[in-house]
Amino acid sequence: HLSGRDSSTHIVKKTILHFAEDKDTSGFLEQLARWHDRERYHMIFATLRPMEPRLREKVEALGVECWSCNCHSRKEYLRGILRLQRFLQRRHIDILHTHLFDPSVVGLLAGTLARTPLRVLTRHYSNYHTRLGKKWHVKLDQMCTRLAHRVICVSQHTADDMMREENAPPQKLRVIHNGIDFERAKLSSEDAPKQLRDEFAPDGEFLMLQVSRFHPEKGQEWLF
């Protein structure tokens, strides 16, 4: 049994399901798959929408099982909730960990219906919905916080915003910064920095690198 006792280590393995969107542009999920404690947890990755083949290939190569709700639009979310509920019950999931907005709404509703023992939400954004005036999104964020036993905030700023703007209970929040796998940030070659300078600042001009997604939230228009 996946949650049974390991006779050699006498450690009771917990089955944890990470529930996210459909792809992983940041490498975050791949890092979880690579570095999780395999002696303590049996990990499953699940997605709300059909899982990107590249993500499935990477995660399965690391020995982590994959599953998908296969919802193609928000119209299918009710079906997705019921399908995920059945999966959580059938596989006796001990810990449900949801990521991002849509997967958290669907996942935490399903986890509550399935009576999953521990429901965890990671808030990867702060006051994005408040700043855009999306009142219903804020209400759904508040619902997710209520349905989760613990909320992981990726920064103190996120935790502060949740308490100030969403009345999130402080005792539920934990600040845990995103880990970085430095193996993924190696120089492509030893002379790569010089090549960049030669191309973009050949006369010794000030050179600035701004790293982020091309998204209005990141404010590139103001920077440029």
Side-chain angles (χ1 to χ4, degrees), residues 51-110:
M51 188 177 296
E52 182 187 50
R54 182 169 170 268
L55 174 60
R56 181 184 291 273
E57 181 181 348
K58 281 189 171 184
V59 170
E60 288 182 342
L62 293 167
V64 175
E65 179 184 351
C66 294
W67 181 84
S68 178
C69 273
N70 285 324
C71 293
H72 292 84
S73 69
R74 287 182 171 176
K75 293 179 181 179
E76 299 180 21
Y77 280 6
L78 179 57
R79 178 181 65 84
I81 290 170
L82 298 176
R83 189 175 183 207
L84 179 58
Q85 175 196 355
R86 291 193 293 269
F87 185 83
L88 293 169
Q89 292 172 327
R90 185 171 70 252
R91 296 299 301 271
H92 304 288
I93 302 299
D94 299 297
I95 305 169
L96 169 66
H97 191 157
T98 67
H99 303 267
L100 302 174
F101 180 70
D102 288 44
S104 292
V105 172
V106 171
L108 290 167
L109 285 169

Short mmCIF file of all heavy atoms in Angstrom, two decimals, residues 51-110:
data_model
loop_
_atom_site.label_atom_id
_atom_site.label_comp_id
_atom_site.label_asym_id
_atom_site.label_seq_id
_atom_site.Cartn_x
_atom_site.Cartn_y
_atom_site.Cartn_z
N MET A 51 -2.24 17.67 -19.42
CA MET A 51 -0.85 17.93 -19.07
C MET A 51 0.02 18.05 -20.32
O MET A 51 -0.08 17.23 -21.24
CB MET A 51 -0.31 16.81 -18.17
CG MET A 51 1.07 17.08 -17.60
SD MET A 51 1.66 15.78 -16.48
CE MET A 51 0.47 15.91 -15.14
N GLU A 52 0.85 19.06 -20.33
CA GLU A 52 1.79 19.25 -21.43
C GLU A 52 2.69 18.02 -21.54
O GLU A 52 3.28 17.59 -20.55
CB GLU A 52 2.63 20.50 -21.18
CG GLU A 52 3.60 20.84 -22.28
CD GLU A 52 4.52 21.98 -21.89
OE1 GLU A 52 5.10 21.92 -20.79
OE2 GLU A 52 4.65 22.92 -22.69
N PRO A 53 2.82 17.42 -22.73
CA PRO A 53 3.63 16.21 -22.89
C PRO A 53 5.06 16.36 -22.36
O PRO A 53 5.61 15.44 -21.77
CB PRO A 53 3.61 15.97 -24.40
CG PRO A 53 2.34 16.60 -24.86
CD PRO A 53 2.15 17.81 -23.99
N ARG A 54 5.65 17.54 -22.57
CA ARG A 54 7.03 17.76 -22.12
C ARG A 54 7.14 17.69 -20.60
O ARG A 54 8.09 17.12 -20.07
CB ARG A 54 7.51 19.12 -22.62
CG ARG A 54 8.96 19.46 -22.26
CD ARG A 54 9.40 20.69 -23.04
NE ARG A 54 10.68 21.19 -22.56
CZ ARG A 54 10.81 22.10 -21.62
NH1 ARG A 54 9.73 22.61 -21.05
NH2 ARG A 54 12.00 22.52 -21.25
N LEU A 55 6.15 18.25 -19.89
CA LEU A 55 6.14 18.19 -18.42
C LEU A 55 5.95 16.76 -17.96
O LEU A 55 6.66 16.29 -17.06
CB LEU A 55 5.03 19.08 -17.86
CG LEU A 55 4.83 18.99 -16.34
CD1 LEU A 55 6.07 19.40 -15.57
CD2 LEU A 55 3.64 19.86 -15.92
N ARG A 56 5.01 16.05 -18.58
CA ARG A 56 4.77 14.65 -18.20
C ARG A 56 6.04 13.81 -18.39
O ARG A 56 6.40 13.01 -17.52
CB ARG A 56 3.63 14.07 -19.03
CG ARG A 56 3.30 12.61 -18.68
CD ARG A 56 2.22 12.08 -19.60
NE ARG A 56 0.94 12.70 -19.36
CZ ARG A 56 0.07 12.28 -18.46
NH1 ARG A 56 0.35 11.23 -17.70
NH2 ARG A 56 -1.09 12.90 -18.31
N GLU A 57 6.70 14.02 -19.50
CA GLU A 57 7.92 13.24 -19.80
C GLU A 57 8.99 13.51 -18.75
O GLU A 57 9.63 12.57 -18.26
CB GLU A 57 8.42 13.62 -21.19
CG GLU A 57 9.67 12.86 -21.62
CD GLU A 57 10.15 13.29 -23.00
OE1 GLU A 57 9.40 13.99 -23.72
OE2 GLU A 57 11.29 12.92 -23.36
N LYS A 58 9.20 14.77 -18.40
CA LYS A 58 10.23 15.13 -17.42
C LYS A 58 9.93 14.55 -16.05
O LYS A 58 10.80 14.00 -15.37
CB LYS A 58 10.37 16.65 -17.32
CG LYS A 58 11.16 17.29 -18.44
CD LYS A 58 11.40 18.75 -18.13
CE LYS A 58 12.38 19.35 -19.12
NZ LYS A 58 12.71 20.75 -18.77
N VAL A 59 8.68 14.70 -15.62
CA VAL A 59 8.29 14.27 -14.28
C VAL A 59 8.30 12.76 -14.16
O VAL A 59 8.80 12.19 -13.17
CB VAL A 59 6.91 14.86 -13.91
CG1 VAL A 59 6.39 14.24 -12.63
CG2 VAL A 59 7.00 16.37 -13.74
N GLU A 60 7.78 12.08 -15.16
CA GLU A 60 7.77 10.61 -15.12
C GLU A 60 9.18 10.05 -15.18
O GLU A 60 9.46 9.00 -14.59
CB GLU A 60 6.91 10.06 -16.26
CG GLU A 60 5.42 10.28 -16.03
CD GLU A 60 4.57 9.68 -17.13
OE1 GLU A 60 5.11 9.40 -18.23
OE2 GLU A 60 3.35 9.50 -16.91
N ALA A 61 10.08 10.75 -15.88
CA ALA A 61 11.48 10.31 -15.93
C ALA A 61 12.13 10.37 -14.54
O ALA A 61 13.11 9.67 -14.28
CB ALA A 61 12.26 11.16 -16.92
N LEU A 62 11.57 11.20 -13.66
CA LEU A 62 12.08 11.33 -12.29
C LEU A 62 11.35 10.38 -11.34
O LEU A 62 11.52 10.46 -10.13
CB LEU A 62 11.92 12.77 -11.81
CG LEU A 62 12.80 13.80 -12.53
CD1 LEU A 62 12.35 15.22 -12.21
CD2 LEU A 62 14.27 13.61 -12.15
N GLY A 63 10.54 9.49 -11.89
CA GLY A 63 9.87 8.48 -11.09
C GLY A 63 8.63 8.95 -10.38
O GLY A 63 8.20 8.34 -9.39
N VAL A 64 8.01 10.03 -10.88
CA VAL A 64 6.80 10.56 -10.25
C VAL A 64 5.60 10.30 -11.16
O VAL A 64 5.64 10.60 -12.35
CB VAL A 64 6.94 12.07 -9.97
CG1 VAL A 64 5.63 12.64 -9.43
CG2 VAL A 64 8.06 12.31 -8.96
N GLU A 65 4.54 9.76 -10.59
CA GLU A 65 3.33 9.44 -11.33
C GLU A 65 2.59 10.71 -11.74
O GLU A 65 2.60 11.71 -11.03
CB GLU A 65 2.43 8.58 -10.43
CG GLU A 65 1.10 8.18 -11.02
CD GLU A 65 0.23 7.42 -10.04
OE1 GLU A 65 0.74 7.06 -8.95
OE2 GLU A 65 -0.96 7.21 -10.35
N CYS A 66 1.93 10.68 -12.89
CA CYS A 66 1.17 11.84 -13.39
C CYS A 66 -0.28 11.46 -13.65
O CYS A 66 -0.60 10.31 -13.97
CB CYS A 66 1.78 12.36 -14.69
SG CYS A 66 3.43 13.07 -14.51
N TRP A 67 -1.15 12.46 -13.51
CA TRP A 67 -2.59 12.28 -13.74
C TRP A 67 -3.17 13.62 -14.12
O TRP A 67 -2.63 14.67 -13.76
CB TRP A 67 -3.25 11.73 -12.48
CG TRP A 67 -4.72 11.47 -12.60
CD1 TRP A 67 -5.32 10.35 -13.11
CD2 TRP A 67 -5.79 12.34 -12.20
NE1 TRP A 67 -6.68 10.47 -13.06
CE2 TRP A 67 -7.00 11.69 -12.51
CE3 TRP A 67 -5.83 13.60 -11.63
CZ2 TRP A 67 -8.24 12.26 -12.25
CZ3 TRP A 67 -7.07 14.19 -11.37
CH2 TRP A 67 -8.26 13.52 -11.68
N SER A 68 -4.28 13.64 -14.86
CA SER A 68 -4.87 14.91 -15.28
C SER A 68 -6.39 14.85 -15.23
O SER A 68 -7.00 13.82 -15.53
CB SER A 68 -4.42 15.27 -16.70
OG SER A 68 -5.03 16.47 -17.11
N CYS A 69 -7.00 15.99 -14.84
CA CYS A 69 -8.45 16.14 -14.91
C CYS A 69 -8.94 16.31 -16.34
O CYS A 69 -10.12 16.12 -16.64
CB CYS A 69 -8.90 17.36 -14.08
SG CYS A 69 -9.18 17.02 -12.35
N ASN A 70 -8.04 16.76 -17.21
CA ASN A 70 -8.34 16.94 -18.64
C ASN A 70 -9.48 17.92 -18.89
O ASN A 70 -10.30 17.72 -19.80
CB ASN A 70 -8.65 15.60 -19.30
CG ASN A 70 -7.40 14.77 -19.53
OD1 ASN A 70 -6.34 15.32 -19.83
ND2 ASN A 70 -7.50 13.47 -19.37
N CYS A 71 -9.57 19.00 -18.09
CA CYS A 71 -10.56 20.04 -18.36
C CYS A 71 -10.01 20.98 -19.44
O CYS A 71 -8.90 21.49 -19.30
CB CYS A 71 -10.85 20.84 -17.08
SG CYS A 71 -11.68 19.89 -15.79
N HIS A 72 -10.80 21.21 -20.47
CA HIS A 72 -10.33 22.06 -21.58
C HIS A 72 -10.79 23.51 -21.42
O HIS A 72 -10.28 24.40 -22.10
CB HIS A 72 -10.81 21.50 -22.91
CG HIS A 72 -10.17 20.20 -23.27
ND1 HIS A 72 -10.63 18.98 -22.80
CD2 HIS A 72 -9.07 19.93 -24.03
CE1 HIS A 72 -9.87 18.01 -23.28
NE2 HIS A 72 -8.92 18.54 -24.02
N SER A 73 -11.78 23.75 -20.56
CA SER A 73 -12.27 25.11 -20.33
C SER A 73 -12.93 25.15 -18.95
O SER A 73 -13.15 24.11 -18.31
CB SER A 73 -13.28 25.51 -21.41
OG SER A 73 -14.48 24.77 -21.27
N ARG A 74 -13.25 26.38 -18.51
CA ARG A 74 -13.90 26.53 -17.21
C ARG A 74 -15.30 25.90 -17.18
O ARG A 74 -15.81 25.59 -16.10
CB ARG A 74 -13.96 28.01 -16.82
CG ARG A 74 -12.59 28.57 -16.43
CD ARG A 74 -12.66 30.02 -16.00
NE ARG A 74 -11.38 30.45 -15.43
CZ ARG A 74 -11.12 31.68 -15.03
NH1 ARG A 74 -12.06 32.63 -15.16
NH2 ARG A 74 -9.95 31.99 -14.51
N LYS A 75 -15.90 25.71 -18.33
CA LYS A 75 -17.21 25.06 -18.38
C LYS A 75 -17.13 23.62 -17.88
O LYS A 75 -18.15 23.05 -17.47
CB LYS A 75 -17.75 25.09 -19.82
CG LYS A 75 -18.08 26.48 -20.34
CD LYS A 75 -18.59 26.41 -21.77
CE LYS A 75 -18.90 27.80 -22.31
NZ LYS A 75 -19.38 27.75 -23.71
N GLU A 76 -15.95 23.03 -17.92
CA GLU A 76 -15.79 21.63 -17.51
C GLU A 76 -15.31 21.50 -16.07
O GLU A 76 -15.02 20.39 -15.62
CB GLU A 76 -14.80 20.94 -18.45
CG GLU A 76 -15.24 20.93 -19.91
CD GLU A 76 -14.22 20.22 -20.80
OE1 GLU A 76 -13.43 19.42 -20.28
OE2 GLU A 76 -14.22 20.50 -22.01
N TYR A 77 -15.22 22.61 -15.33
CA TYR A 77 -14.65 22.56 -13.99
C TYR A 77 -15.49 21.74 -13.01
O TYR A 77 -14.94 21.09 -12.11
CB TYR A 77 -14.45 23.97 -13.44
CG TYR A 77 -13.19 24.65 -13.97
CD1 TYR A 77 -12.40 24.05 -14.96
CD2 TYR A 77 -12.79 25.89 -13.48
CE1 TYR A 77 -11.27 24.67 -15.46
CE2 TYR A 77 -11.64 26.52 -13.97
CZ TYR A 77 -10.90 25.90 -14.94
OH TYR A 77 -9.76 26.51 -15.41
N LEU A 78 -16.81 21.77 -13.15
CA LEU A 78 -17.65 20.97 -12.25
C LEU A 78 -17.33 19.49 -12.43
O LEU A 78 -17.17 18.75 -11.44
CB LEU A 78 -19.13 21.23 -12.52
CG LEU A 78 -20.11 20.41 -11.66
CD1 LEU A 78 -19.86 20.64 -10.17
CD2 LEU A 78 -21.55 20.74 -12.03
N ARG A 79 -17.21 19.07 -13.67
CA ARG A 79 -16.82 17.68 -13.94
C ARG A 79 -15.43 17.41 -13.36
O ARG A 79 -15.17 16.34 -12.81
CB ARG A 79 -16.83 17.41 -15.44
CG ARG A 79 -16.39 15.99 -15.83
CD ARG A 79 -16.40 15.81 -17.34
NE ARG A 79 -15.42 16.65 -17.99
CZ ARG A 79 -14.12 16.30 -18.11
NH1 ARG A 79 -13.68 15.15 -17.60
NH2 ARG A 79 -13.28 17.10 -18.73
N GLY A 80 -14.55 18.40 -13.49
CA GLY A 80 -13.20 18.24 -12.97
C GLY A 80 -13.18 18.08 -11.46
O GLY A 80 -12.42 17.28 -10.92
N ILE A 81 -14.03 18.84 -10.76
CA ILE A 81 -14.13 18.73 -9.30
C ILE A 81 -14.53 17.31 -8.90
O ILE A 81 -13.93 16.69 -8.02
CB ILE A 81 -15.13 19.74 -8.74
CG1 ILE A 81 -14.58 21.18 -8.87
CG2 ILE A 81 -15.47 19.46 -7.27
CD1 ILE A 81 -15.60 22.26 -8.56
N LEU A 82 -15.56 16.79 -9.56
CA LEU A 82 -16.06 15.45 -9.22
C LEU A 82 -15.04 14.38 -9.58
O LEU A 82 -14.86 13.40 -8.84
CB LEU A 82 -17.39 15.19 -9.94
CG LEU A 82 -18.53 16.15 -9.56
CD1 LEU A 82 -19.77 15.87 -10.40
CD2 LEU A 82 -18.85 16.03 -8.07
N ARG A 83 -14.37 14.56 -10.72
CA ARG A 83 -13.37 13.57 -11.12
C ARG A 83 -12.20 13.56 -10.16
O ARG A 83 -11.70 12.50 -9.77
CB ARG A 83 -12.89 13.88 -12.55
CG ARG A 83 -12.02 12.77 -13.10
CD ARG A 83 -11.64 13.00 -14.54
NE ARG A 83 -10.86 11.87 -15.02
CZ ARG A 83 -9.98 11.95 -15.99
NH1 ARG A 83 -9.75 13.10 -16.60
NH2 ARG A 83 -9.31 10.90 -16.38
N LEU A 84 -11.74 14.74 -9.75
CA LEU A 84 -10.63 14.82 -8.80
C LEU A 84 -11.05 14.28 -7.44
O LEU A 84 -10.26 13.60 -6.77
CB LEU A 84 -10.16 16.27 -8.67
CG LEU A 84 -9.01 16.52 -7.68
CD1 LEU A 84 -7.78 15.69 -8.03
CD2 LEU A 84 -8.65 18.01 -7.65
N GLN A 85 -12.28 14.56 -7.02
CA GLN A 85 -12.76 14.02 -5.75
C GLN A 85 -12.66 12.50 -5.73
O GLN A 85 -12.16 11.90 -4.77
CB GLN A 85 -14.21 14.43 -5.52
CG GLN A 85 -14.83 13.80 -4.26
CD GLN A 85 -16.35 13.90 -4.23
OE1 GLN A 85 -16.96 14.53 -5.11
NE2 GLN A 85 -16.97 13.31 -3.24
N ARG A 86 -13.10 11.87 -6.81
CA ARG A 86 -13.05 10.40 -6.88
C ARG A 86 -11.61 9.90 -6.86
O ARG A 86 -11.29 8.89 -6.21
CB ARG A 86 -13.77 9.90 -8.14
CG ARG A 86 -15.28 10.11 -8.11
CD ARG A 86 -15.96 9.33 -9.21
NE ARG A 86 -15.61 9.86 -10.53
CZ ARG A 86 -16.31 10.80 -11.16
NH1 ARG A 86 -17.40 11.32 -10.60
NH2 ARG A 86 -15.94 11.23 -12.36
N PHE A 87 -10.73 10.61 -7.55
CA PHE A 87 -9.31 10.20 -7.57
C PHE A 87 -8.70 10.31 -6.19
O PHE A 87 -7.97 9.41 -5.74
CB PHE A 87 -8.54 11.07 -8.57
CG PHE A 87 -7.11 10.65 -8.75
CD1 PHE A 87 -6.77 9.62 -9.62
CD2 PHE A 87 -6.09 11.28 -8.04
CE1 PHE A 87 -5.44 9.23 -9.78
CE2 PHE A 87 -4.77 10.89 -8.19
CZ PHE A 87 -4.44 9.87 -9.07
N LEU A 88 -8.97 11.39 -5.49
CA LEU A 88 -8.44 11.58 -4.13
C LEU A 88 -8.91 10.47 -3.20
O LEU A 88 -8.13 9.96 -2.37
CB LEU A 88 -8.87 12.95 -3.58
CG LEU A 88 -8.30 14.19 -4.28
CD1 LEU A 88 -9.03 15.44 -3.81
CD2 LEU A 88 -6.80 14.32 -4.01
N GLN A 89 -10.16 10.09 -3.34
CA GLN A 89 -10.70 9.03 -2.48
C GLN A 89 -10.16 7.67 -2.87
O GLN A 89 -9.78 6.86 -2.01
CB GLN A 89 -12.23 9.04 -2.55
CG GLN A 89 -12.86 10.28 -1.91
CD GLN A 89 -14.35 10.37 -2.16
OE1 GLN A 89 -14.85 9.96 -3.23
NE2 GLN A 89 -15.08 10.93 -1.22
N ARG A 90 -10.11 7.41 -4.17
CA ARG A 90 -9.65 6.09 -4.64
C ARG A 90 -8.20 5.84 -4.28
O ARG A 90 -7.82 4.72 -3.91
CB ARG A 90 -9.85 6.01 -6.16
CG ARG A 90 -9.52 4.64 -6.74
CD ARG A 90 -9.93 4.53 -8.19
NE ARG A 90 -9.11 5.35 -9.07
CZ ARG A 90 -9.51 6.46 -9.68
NH1 ARG A 90 -10.75 6.91 -9.49
NH2 ARG A 90 -8.70 7.14 -10.47
N ARG A 91 -7.36 6.88 -4.36
CA ARG A 91 -5.94 6.71 -4.09
C ARG A 91 -5.55 7.03 -2.64
O ARG A 91 -4.38 6.98 -2.28
CB ARG A 91 -5.13 7.61 -5.04
CG ARG A 91 -5.28 7.24 -6.51
CD ARG A 91 -4.79 5.82 -6.80
NE ARG A 91 -3.40 5.67 -6.46
CZ ARG A 91 -2.40 5.93 -7.30
NH1 ARG A 91 -2.66 6.34 -8.53
NH2 ARG A 91 -1.15 5.77 -6.92
N HIS A 92 -6.54 7.34 -1.83
CA HIS A 92 -6.30 7.61 -0.40
C HIS A 92 -5.21 8.67 -0.21
O HIS A 92 -4.22 8.48 0.50
CB HIS A 92 -5.92 6.33 0.34
CG HIS A 92 -6.92 5.23 0.21
ND1 HIS A 92 -8.14 5.25 0.83
CD2 HIS A 92 -6.88 4.08 -0.52
CE1 HIS A 92 -8.83 4.15 0.52
NE2 HIS A 92 -8.08 3.44 -0.32
N ILE A 93 -5.38 9.82 -0.89
CA ILE A 93 -4.40 10.89 -0.83
C ILE A 93 -4.37 11.48 0.58
O ILE A 93 -5.41 11.87 1.12
CB ILE A 93 -4.71 11.99 -1.86
CG1 ILE A 93 -4.74 11.40 -3.28
CG2 ILE A 93 -3.70 13.12 -1.76
CD1 ILE A 93 -3.45 10.78 -3.75
N ASP A 94 -3.19 11.55 1.17
CA ASP A 94 -3.04 12.12 2.51
C ASP A 94 -2.94 13.64 2.49
O ASP A 94 -3.45 14.31 3.39
CB ASP A 94 -1.79 11.54 3.19
CG ASP A 94 -1.86 10.04 3.35
OD1 ASP A 94 -2.75 9.56 4.06
OD2 ASP A 94 -1.01 9.34 2.74
N ILE A 95 -2.23 14.16 1.48
CA ILE A 95 -1.97 15.61 1.40
C ILE A 95 -2.29 16.08 -0.01
O ILE A 95 -1.74 15.57 -0.98
CB ILE A 95 -0.50 15.94 1.73
CG1 ILE A 95 -0.11 15.38 3.09
CG2 ILE A 95 -0.29 17.46 1.70
CD1 ILE A 95 1.40 15.44 3.35
N LEU A 96 -3.16 17.07 -0.11
CA LEU A 96 -3.44 17.73 -1.39
C LEU A 96 -2.78 19.09 -1.35
O LEU A 96 -3.04 19.90 -0.46
CB LEU A 96 -4.95 17.89 -1.60
CG LEU A 96 -5.38 18.78 -2.77
CD1 LEU A 96 -4.97 18.15 -4.10
CD2 LEU A 96 -6.88 19.03 -2.73
N HIS A 97 -1.92 19.38 -2.33
CA HIS A 97 -1.20 20.66 -2.39
C HIS A 97 -1.53 21.31 -3.72
O HIS A 97 -1.15 20.82 -4.78
CB HIS A 97 0.30 20.42 -2.26
CG HIS A 97 1.09 21.67 -2.05
ND1 HIS A 97 2.33 21.67 -1.46
CD2 HIS A 97 0.82 22.97 -2.36
CE1 HIS A 97 2.79 22.91 -1.40
NE2 HIS A 97 1.90 23.71 -1.96
N THR A 98 -2.27 22.43 -3.67
CA THR A 98 -2.70 23.10 -4.91
C THR A 98 -1.84 24.33 -5.19
O THR A 98 -1.31 24.96 -4.28
CB THR A 98 -4.18 23.52 -4.83
OG1 THR A 98 -4.34 24.57 -3.85
CG2 THR A 98 -5.06 22.34 -4.46
N HIS A 99 -1.73 24.65 -6.50
CA HIS A 99 -0.91 25.76 -6.96
C HIS A 99 -1.70 26.61 -7.95
O HIS A 99 -2.38 26.08 -8.83
CB HIS A 99 0.36 25.25 -7.65
CG HIS A 99 1.19 24.35 -6.78
ND1 HIS A 99 2.24 24.81 -6.00
CD2 HIS A 99 1.12 23.01 -6.56
CE1 HIS A 99 2.78 23.80 -5.34
NE2 HIS A 99 2.14 22.69 -5.67
N LEU A 100 -1.59 27.94 -7.83
CA LEU A 100 -2.20 28.90 -8.73
C LEU A 100 -3.74 28.95 -8.56
O LEU A 100 -4.32 28.18 -7.79
CB LEU A 100 -1.80 28.64 -10.17
CG LEU A 100 -0.28 28.67 -10.41
CD1 LEU A 100 0.03 28.26 -11.84
CD2 LEU A 100 0.29 30.06 -10.12
N PHE A 101 -4.37 29.87 -9.28
CA PHE A 101 -5.76 30.23 -8.98
C PHE A 101 -6.76 29.14 -9.36
O PHE A 101 -7.44 28.58 -8.49
CB PHE A 101 -6.11 31.55 -9.70
CG PHE A 101 -7.53 31.99 -9.47
CD1 PHE A 101 -7.92 32.45 -8.23
CD2 PHE A 101 -8.45 31.94 -10.49
CE1 PHE A 101 -9.23 32.87 -8.00
CE2 PHE A 101 -9.76 32.36 -10.29
CZ PHE A 101 -10.15 32.83 -9.03
N ASP A 102 -6.90 28.84 -10.65
CA ASP A 102 -7.92 27.87 -11.07
C ASP A 102 -7.72 26.49 -10.43
O ASP A 102 -8.69 25.90 -9.93
CB ASP A 102 -7.93 27.75 -12.60
CG ASP A 102 -8.52 28.99 -13.26
OD1 ASP A 102 -8.18 30.12 -12.85
OD2 ASP A 102 -9.32 28.83 -14.20
N PRO A 103 -6.51 25.94 -10.43
CA PRO A 103 -6.33 24.63 -9.78
C PRO A 103 -6.67 24.66 -8.29
O PRO A 103 -7.13 23.64 -7.74
CB PRO A 103 -4.84 24.33 -10.01
CG PRO A 103 -4.48 25.11 -11.22
CD PRO A 103 -5.27 26.37 -11.11
N SER A 104 -6.45 25.79 -7.63
CA SER A 104 -6.76 25.86 -6.20
C SER A 104 -8.27 25.88 -5.96
O SER A 104 -8.77 25.23 -5.04
CB SER A 104 -6.11 27.09 -5.57
OG SER A 104 -4.71 26.95 -5.55
N VAL A 105 -9.02 26.62 -6.80
CA VAL A 105 -10.48 26.64 -6.66
C VAL A 105 -11.04 25.24 -6.86
O VAL A 105 -11.80 24.72 -6.04
CB VAL A 105 -11.10 27.64 -7.66
CG1 VAL A 105 -12.62 27.52 -7.66
CG2 VAL A 105 -10.69 29.07 -7.33
N VAL A 106 -10.65 24.60 -7.96
CA VAL A 106 -11.16 23.26 -8.26
C VAL A 106 -10.61 22.24 -7.26
O VAL A 106 -11.35 21.42 -6.71
CB VAL A 106 -10.77 22.85 -9.70
CG1 VAL A 106 -11.09 21.38 -9.97
CG2 VAL A 106 -11.49 23.74 -10.71
N GLY A 107 -9.31 22.30 -7.00
CA GLY A 107 -8.67 21.30 -6.16
C GLY A 107 -9.14 21.32 -4.72
O GLY A 107 -9.41 20.26 -4.12
N LEU A 108 -9.28 22.50 -4.13
CA LEU A 108 -9.68 22.58 -2.73
C LEU A 108 -11.15 22.24 -2.53
O LEU A 108 -11.53 21.67 -1.49
CB LEU A 108 -9.35 23.96 -2.17
CG LEU A 108 -7.85 24.21 -2.02
CD1 LEU A 108 -7.55 25.68 -1.78
CD2 LEU A 108 -7.26 23.36 -0.90
N LEU A 109 -12.00 22.55 -3.51
CA LEU A 109 -13.39 22.11 -3.44
C LEU A 109 -13.45 20.58 -3.49
O LEU A 109 -14.17 19.94 -2.71
CB LEU A 109 -14.21 22.72 -4.57
CG LEU A 109 -14.57 24.20 -4.40
CD1 LEU A 109 -15.16 24.76 -5.69
CD2 LEU A 109 -15.57 24.38 -3.25
N ALA A 110 -12.69 19.99 -4.43
CA ALA A 110 -12.66 18.53 -4.54
C ALA A 110 -12.08 17.90 -3.28
O ALA A 110 -12.59 16.89 -2.77
CB ALA A 110 -11.84 18.12 -5.76
#
